[in-house]
Structure formats: C-alpha cells, structure tokens
Amino acid sequence: MKKKMLLLNTTVLLGLGGVLSTPAYASTIQDMESQKSQIQNQRQDVQSNIKAASDELTRLQAEQDQMKAQLERLTLAEEENNKKAQKTEADIKETSKQVDQLEKEIKLLQEKLEKRNDILKDRARSMQESGGNVEYLQVLLGSSSFGDFVDRALAVSTIVDADRGILKETKNMQDELKTKQVDVKSKLASLEDMKAELDEMTVQLAAQKKQKDALAKELKDKEAKNEELKASLQSKDSSLANEQSTLEQNIKDQKAAEEAARKAAEQAAKEAAKKAAEQAQKAAAEPAEKADSPSPKAAPKASSNDVAPTSAPAPKASNVVTVGNRWIGNSAYVFGGGRSQSDINHGLFDCSSFVHWAYSQVGVNLGPLGSVSTETLKHAGTQVSSSQMQPGDLVFFDTYKKDGHVGIYVGGGKFIGAQSSTGVAIANMSSGYWKQKFNGRVVRI
C-alpha cells in the first residue's frame, strides 16, 4: 500500500511540475524579450534619424527665410532701378530737346551776325569811299576777327550813332551766342553722363534679374527638398508608430496569455491536490512530500543615453573695414539708394551711400546723407599714394565715368563696397575687372 501511495504522489507531483514549468511558454517569453530589445534599438536609431532630419529641416527653413528676404530685396531693388532708368530716359529726351532748341537758336544768331557783318562792312566801305573817319577805318583794318572788330569799334568815340547802335546790338548777340554755346556744351556733357549711367543701369538690371531668377530657382529646389524630407520623416514616423503599436499589442497579448496560464496552473494544482487528498484518505495516513518549483528570473531593463548641449561662439567687435560684412548676401544695389532710413533698413545701397553708412557706424560723419556722392567723397579726406594704401582708405574706380565707383580698402588687394551686380560684397582689385578700373585715387579719412 505504501508503494502504491508513493507512486501515486510521485505521478501527481510530476504532472503538476510539468504544468507549472511550461518550457514552450518560457521560450515564447524569451523571444518576446529579444524582439522587444530589437525594436527598442530600432526605435532609438529611427529617433536619432528623426532628430537629425528635424535639425536639417530647421537649417533649411532658416536658409529659406534668408533667401526669401534676399529675393524681396532684389525685387525691390529691381523696381527702384527700373524707375530710375525710366526717369533717366525721360531726362535724356528732355535734354535732347533742349540741345536741339539751343542749336536752332545758335544757328539763327549766327545768320543774324553774318548779316550784321555784311552791313558793317558795307558801311565801312561807304565811309572809305566818301573820305570818312580814318580812325574807324584803322579799327576795321587792324582787327583780327569780326568779334575783335566789334569790341574795338565800340571803343572808338568818333563812330556815328547809327553805327554804334548796330555794333552794340551785334555785341549783345555775340555774348548771347557764347552763352548758348556754353550751355549746349554743358548739356551735351550732362547728356553723355546720363546715357552712360543709363547704359550702366541696363547692364546692372540684367545682372540683377539673372541673380533673382537663379535665387528663385534655388529657393524652389530647396523647397522641393524640404517637402521630400518632410515626407520621408512622416514615413519613418508612421513605420515607427506601427512597430510600437505591434509591440505593445504583442506584450499585451503575452501578458494575457501569461495570466491565463498562471490561473490554469493554479486551477490544475488545486484539482491535483484535491484528488491526491481524496486518495490519501483512502490510503494509510502517511506524510506527503512537497516539491518547490524555481521562480522565474526577471529580465534586464534597457538603458538610455543623454546628449550634452553645445555652446554658441561669442560675437566679435567690428570696425569700418568689417562693419559692412553684415550686409554681404543681405543687400541689393539701387542707383541713388541708401539715402533714407527705409532703404538702409532693407539693405538697399549704392556705392557712395554704403561708404557713408559704414563710416557713420564708427562715428565718422562724411557730410549730408542726401547729397553724398563719389564727387563729395573724393574731397572728404587727404589724397595719398596708392603705394601707401591702408585698410580703411577710400579707393576710386573709373566705371561709367571718372570716379564713378568707390569702396573701402580692406587689405590684401581687396575692397568692400556696394557693387551693382552683387550688392555689398568684397571684391578683388589686384586682378581682373576692378584692377582695370582702379584709377589710383586713394583718400584717407
């Protein structure tokens, strides 16, 4: 009987141990933990990529904002320069009309003077034939030109009143002719300057349009890249969310299975113990042996890493050579620009207004802003030899006219200035275009 009871208890305990240990279930737990660890690693990689992509998005957005601002400046500069070009064209037409009118008036005066000349010659011949005033004849014969004759004849006191009246009128006509000729010469010179300036503006407008179109294309390409990057981020984020959702559901299902297995094991143990107790009552009363089952080990937890922040560099102080660097890539050239606070706020300069602004930033006033020009700046300081050129000196170039462009020497054969094709920029004056245009004028403020 004892042997039968011992065999029965051993069988019950072995069966119970099999239910509680469930080796197939333990294998599933290990797989889940391994899968969880793998997904966590993948999630860390994806999150790292998302952070890098987010940083790139931020950088691209800042670059786009800067490009949009420059595009707006170029558009505004193009509008202002178009207005200036149209006004210059209108001035050229008006000046041309004035020149034509003056030339007509000069021609009429010359015809009148020729007639006066004939009249005076006839009167002189008549006087000679009638044995008239010898002094008058000497004046006529001794003059080097008709103008000289008129001047000398007026000084002769013995000339008859009629002749004196003709001479005075002739003198006035001569003076008027000289005045008109000087006026025509001045207006023609002004016209040539305006035409040269218009030609320069035409070239500059073409360069600005080309720059604007290239910038617009670059902006469009960057926007497309930005959208592509966004789409990629959204795809990665969606994939990550799906993986996370799947993992959470698997863990939830596994926990439910674990709870069900635990309850089933407890129920089986109760039933087995009950059955064993019932059979024990039938057998002889002997102590039952009990067995302990090992407890499952806890799985290790994953750890995370922290990233240390970085610090930004401190800004540097600037002087007249470098104070204008803030406008490089953030400005546009406008003929006559930079003479109002609105223009300055938008970075719209011409060469002379930029020089005026740069010196004002270091406390040097180069005269009234509204009337500053290359002509006023070349007389603003001391002329020095180009061989003694130093950073901060003003350098002048013959572009569309003599001393048509000015900049600030920065050293190393370079200068900073508002160039028509680039806006504020540093250019090389030791070779190429600017070397050819440099006229040797250097002014030290």
Side-chain angles (χ1 to χ4, degrees):
M1 179 63 71
K2 288 182 179 180
K3 289 181 179 180
K4 289 181 180 180
M5 191 63 192
L6 179 61
L7 180 61
L8 177 62
N9 288 338
T10 302
T11 302
V12 171
L13 289 173
L14 286 173
L16 183 60
V19 172
L20 291 176
S21 61
T22 58
Y25 175 72
S27 175
T28 302
I29 288 291
Q30 290 176 357
D31 291 342
M32 287 290 293
E33 291 293 342
S34 176
Q35 183 183 5
K36 179 180 178 180
S37 177
Q38 290 176 2
I39 292 179
Q40 285 177 333
N41 291 336
Q42 290 175 0
R43 185 179 181 184
Q44 288 178 352
D45 292 340
V46 172
Q47 287 177 339
S48 177
N49 290 334
I50 287 177
K51 184 180 182 305
S54 297
D55 293 342
E56 178 65 9
L57 273 174
T58 302
R59 187 192 69 78
L60 276 175
Q61 188 61 52
E63 189 174 347
Q64 282 181 314
D65 291 343
Q66 186 176 5
M67 289 175 67
K68 285 179 180 177
Q70 181 64 1
L71 197 58
E72 290 175 359
R73 273 188 291 270
L74 287 174
T75 301
L76 184 58
E78 187 178 23
E79 292 173 355
E80 292 297 321
N81 284 330
N82 273 322
K83 291 178 183 177
K84 178 70 174 178
Q86 291 170 3
K87 183 179 183 303
T88 302
E89 280 190 35
D91 291 344
I92 288 174
K93 290 180 181 179
E94 180 61 29
T95 304
S96 297
K97 290 180 180 178
Q98 293 176 6
V99 168
D100 291 343
Q101 181 62 32
L102 283 171
E103 287 177 343
K104 290 179 181 178
E105 293 175 3
I106 288 172
K107 186 177 180 181
L108 288 173
L109 280 172
Q110 287 174 337
E111 291 175 355
K112 289 180 179 180
L113 283 171
E114 287 177 2
K115 291 180 180 179
R116 290 299 177 97
N117 186 16
D118 292 338
I119 292 172
L120 288 171
K121 284 181 179 179
D122 289 341
R123 297 182 72 83
R125 288 192 195 98
S126 176
M127 183 175 290
Q128 183 180 12
E129 291 172 356
S130 61
N133 192 333
V134 176
E135 187 178 9
Y136 189 34
L137 295 175
Q138 289 176 344
V139 168
L140 177 61
L141 295 173
S143 60
S144 59
S145 65
F146 179 67
D148 182 35
F149 166 70
V150 172
D151 290 336
R152 294 175 64 167
L154 284 172
V156 178
S157 59
T158 57
I159 295 176
V160 295
D161 291 340
D163 289 349
R164 185 174 297 279
I166 294 174
L167 287 169
K168 283 184 178 180
E169 289 178 4
T170 304
K171 175 64 175 175
N172 292 337
M173 290 171 65
Q174 284 181 325
D175 292 343
E176 183 181 359
L177 178 61
K178 288 180 182 179
T179 300
K180 289 184 182 295
Q181 286 174 332
V182 170
D183 196 11
V184 165
K185 186 177 180 180
S186 174
K187 287 186 180 296
L188 283 174
S190 174
L191 192 60
E192 290 175 358
D193 285 345
M194 283 191 288
K195 285 181 178 178
E197 185 177 10
L198 181 59
D199 291 341
E200 179 75 9
M201 279 191 285
T202 302
V203 173
Q204 191 268 335
L205 281 171
Q208 275 189 338
K209 186 177 186 306
K210 185 177 180 181
Q211 183 185 6
K212 178 183 172 183
D213 292 343
L215 194 60
K217 183 180 182 301
E218 185 180 356
L219 181 59
K220 186 176 180 181
D221 292 343
K222 286 185 179 293
E223 286 177 343
K225 184 178 179 181
N226 197 355
E227 291 300 324
E228 183 181 349
L229 186 58
K230 284 182 179 179
S232 176
L233 274 175
Q234 290 170 350
S235 177
K236 288 180 180 179
D237 187 55
S238 177
S239 177
L240 179 61
N242 289 337
E243 289 186 30
Q244 185 174 356
S245 177
T246 300
L247 176 62
E248 289 174 350
Q249 185 62 43
N250 289 343
I251 291 175
K252 182 178 179 181
D253 293 343
Q254 191 58 43
K255 286 183 177 180
E258 181 182 355
E259 181 65 16
R262 185 185 63 80
K263 289 181 178 180
E266 288 179 352
Q267 185 64 30
K270 288 180 181 179
E271 291 177 356
K274 182 179 179 181
K275 188 174 181 181
E278 290 175 352
Q279 291 181 358
Q281 290 177 357
K282 295 178 181 179
E286 292 182 7
E289 295 179 3
K290 296 181 180 179
D292 296 327
S293 59
S295 60
K297 295 182 180 180
K301 294 183 178 179
S303 62
S304 60
N305 297 324
D306 296 327
V307 179
T310 58
S311 58
K316 295 182 179 179
S318 59
N319 54 28
V320 72
V321 174
T322 58
V323 71
N325 289 353
R326 58 170 289 195
W327 295 116
I328 296 176
N330 297 307
S331 60
Y333 185 92
V334 173
F335 278 94
R339 287 164 178 77
S340 68
Q341 192 58 48
S342 176
D343 278 359
I344 294 173
N345 292 342
H346 288 91
L348 304 179
F349 296 98
D350 64 9
C351 61
S352 54
S353 66
F354 170 74
V355 169
H356 187 284
W357 174 86
Y359 268 93
S360 71
Q361 301 306 295
V362 295
V364 178
N365 185 357
L366 296 181
L369 177 59
S371 59
V372 65
S373 66
T374 54
E375 288 297 314
T376 63
L377 291 177
K378 74 182 185 182
H379 300 297
T382 304
Q383 305 278 332
V384 298
S385 170
S386 59
S387 62
Q388 299 176 338
M389 195 159 44
Q390 297 178 1
D393 291 344
L394 304 188
V395 287
F396 291 79
F397 304 85
D398 292 342
T399 51
Y400 70 95
K401 67 175 183 178
K402 185 171 180 59
D403 299 316
H405 188 69
V406 63
I408 302 172
Y409 186 64
V410 300
K414 296 180 180 180
F415 74 98
I416 185 170
Q419 275 67 265
S420 60
S421 59
T422 60
V424 176
I426 294 176
N428 189 351
M429 58 182 290
S430 60
S431 64
Y433 175 83
W434 292 112
K435 180 180 180 180
Q436 296 174 0
K437 297 298 181 180
F438 178 52
N439 62 16
R441 187 187 298 281
V442 181
V443 174
R444 184 161 297 160
I445 303 300

